[in-house]
Each structure stands twice: as C-alpha cells, then as structure tokens.
Amino acid sequence: MTWLGPMCSSGMHADLYSCRACLYELDQRVLESNIRRDIAALPVMPSMPGPPRR
C-alpha cells in the first residue's frame, strides 16, 4: 500500500492509502484530465482554404 496523503470526507479526516492497481488508475485519470485541459487551452487555428467549389 502507498500512502497518498490526508483526506477529508464528511467533516472527518483520515490517511488515504492505495494499492498499486488503484494508484495506477488514479494516475491515469490525472494524466487524462491534464491532457483534456491542455487540449482545451490550445489556440483555435483558422481552417486551411480548400480547393475552390464549383
């Protein structure tokens, strides 16, 4: 078990621990959340003009 830190829930405090599999899942969720945030912050690029329409 890995200690993650203190946690507060329903006004109570306790140490939070995680097994390796759950720690990996939490890590993936943090990574995905940061990727989504980074993508949302990218500037919108204007569309490239395509060939003229007939």
Side-chain angles (χ1 to χ4, degrees):
M1 295 294 264
T2 300
W3 181 70
L4 300 179
M7 180 180 174
C8 178
S9 177
S10 301
M12 298 180 284
H13 293 64
D15 289 337
L16 182 63
Y17 292 86
S18 175
C19 68
R20 180 174 280 188
C22 291
L23 185 58
Y24 176 80
E25 179 64 29
L26 289 169
D27 187 58
Q28 292 303 303
R29 289 179 185 220
V30 169
L31 179 63
E32 290 171 11
S33 175
N34 281 289
I35 289 171
R36 282 193 301 272
R37 186 190 64 208
D38 291 347
I39 289 172
L42 290 174
V44 176
M45 301 298 288
S47 302
M48 295 287 295
R53 291 188 175 184
R54 296 182 191 196

